Amino acid sequence: MIRSNRTVVVALAAAAVLGLSACGGGGFSSETSSTPAASASANTNPVTVLIGSSGDAETTSVKTAVAAWSATSGVPAEVKVASDLVQQATQGFAGGKPDDVLYVSTDQLAGWAKNGSLEAYGDQLTNKSDFYPGLVSAFTYENTFYCAPKDFSTLALVINSDMWSDAGLTDADVPTTWDQLEAVAKKLTKGKRVGLAFSPEIARVGVFMAQAGGGLLSADGGAQADAQPNVDALTYVKKLMNEGVAAFSSDLGAGWGGEAFGKKQAAMVIEGNWITGAMTSTYPGVKYTVAELPAGTQKGTLQFTNCWGISADGDNKAAALNLVEFLTTTDQQLTFAKDFGVMPSVQSAAEGYKSANPAMVPFINGAEYAQNLPAMAGAADVLKDVNSQLSGLKSKDPKAILDSTQKNLQAITG
């Protein structure tokens, strides 16, 4: 399950895999790609699945699903819960004995794809067209679709219901534009409480770039950090912060936006759907509602996702492919959503998910226009530098921050 994304921290750990030597390969046979179920039963070598679990609910759900597949396919299968997935996966790749299937984040994809650790099986998936296009893009490396998106999260606007009504605001006042967001943030700011808060990182502030029609990368993957829409976005955020109606969660003494919201230090936060779990377990007395993020020149949000990677050196890649297709069926995705709160990565599950989770509709609606953060080799250091500079946004020139980021991005995008 994707949770509060410390994107750069994970990416820095993943960067260690870039120095690995190539780990072999070997593709699927034509028979494998056309008839994965038959091939899976022909080769009964055990399949191991390495996951980074969010807790008992996720572990139990994945183990149940894999056991059901194993019983049907006749292939023995084991789910292993990693204490440090990147480290354990890296050791497996380097030693030539990797787990057959494993969680892979966008941060890890480039390094593991580049050194030959991952099988590029995406185009062989019978349900390839069912995945959200933005998620397919997230797991495409050098124009090759590598792995099936497992699930995903987006960012939305989370609003304290009591503070909203106390300020005289109604459903009609939910902001759909930047001007409206600024107006309600002013009304909700009271004493030490700010109207809006978000974590001091591009993984939150970047939504404003998307809403301004920008983003760190262009549609063809080129660096565009210094583009005017991005300057406009940071200028707007800086304005809100200097007006005192918006703040970084760290400036409020909170570790992330959800903590600032739960402690009632902010009336609104920009966060992902994982915040619902934190509110239930830690701040059950706080009433809230969720809305899609307001638009600048267009709608925009960010998304975070993992995929089901298949190891290039796995002993039973045919069965691994068959397992992944089972795990990404509509019914199984809805089961995962029910069991541990993730959003399905297949479009065919969207209506069922919305029906079962009406409060989460704004999050899944964001899939239609969500952007991915840069995840190519070297992106970790670029994002780390952006975050460092953003921490001083209130007193820094937005264009200077973005000019510096442009140079760093150009160095890794060419």
Side-chain angles (χ1 to χ4, degrees), residues 167-221:
L169 299 169
T170 67
D171 290 348
D173 297 306
V174 173
T176 59
T177 68
W178 280 5
D179 286 344
Q180 293 171 0
L181 178 63
E182 182 178 8
V184 297
K186 288 180 179 179
K187 289 185 177 181
L188 291 166
T189 298
K190 183 178 182 181
K192 294 183 178 181
R193 184 188 76 203
V194 295
L196 176 67
F198 34 83
S199 299
E201 55 185 332
I202 193 65
R204 299 297 179 273
V205 179
V207 298
F208 294 99
M209 295 182 183
Q211 291 159 16
L216 294 179
L217 299 177
S218 62
D220 61 3

Side-chain angles (χ1 to χ4, degrees), residues 229-261:
N230 296 330
V231 177
D232 294 341
L234 291 194
T235 299
Y236 172 74
V237 174
K238 179 178 179 177
K239 178 174 181 281
L240 295 185
M241 296 178 74
N242 282 322
E243 288 176 346
V245 301
F248 287 136
S249 54
S250 55
D251 292 335
L252 301 174
W256 65 295
E259 182 182 355
F261 188 73

Side-chain angles (χ1 to χ4, degrees), residues 44-49 63 66-67 69-71 73-80 323:
T44 58
N45 286 339
V47 170
T48 59
V49 182
K63 285 185 174 181
V66 171
W69 170 83
S70 179
S73 67
V75 178
E78 175 189 5
V79 175
K80 299 159 62 177
L323 171 59

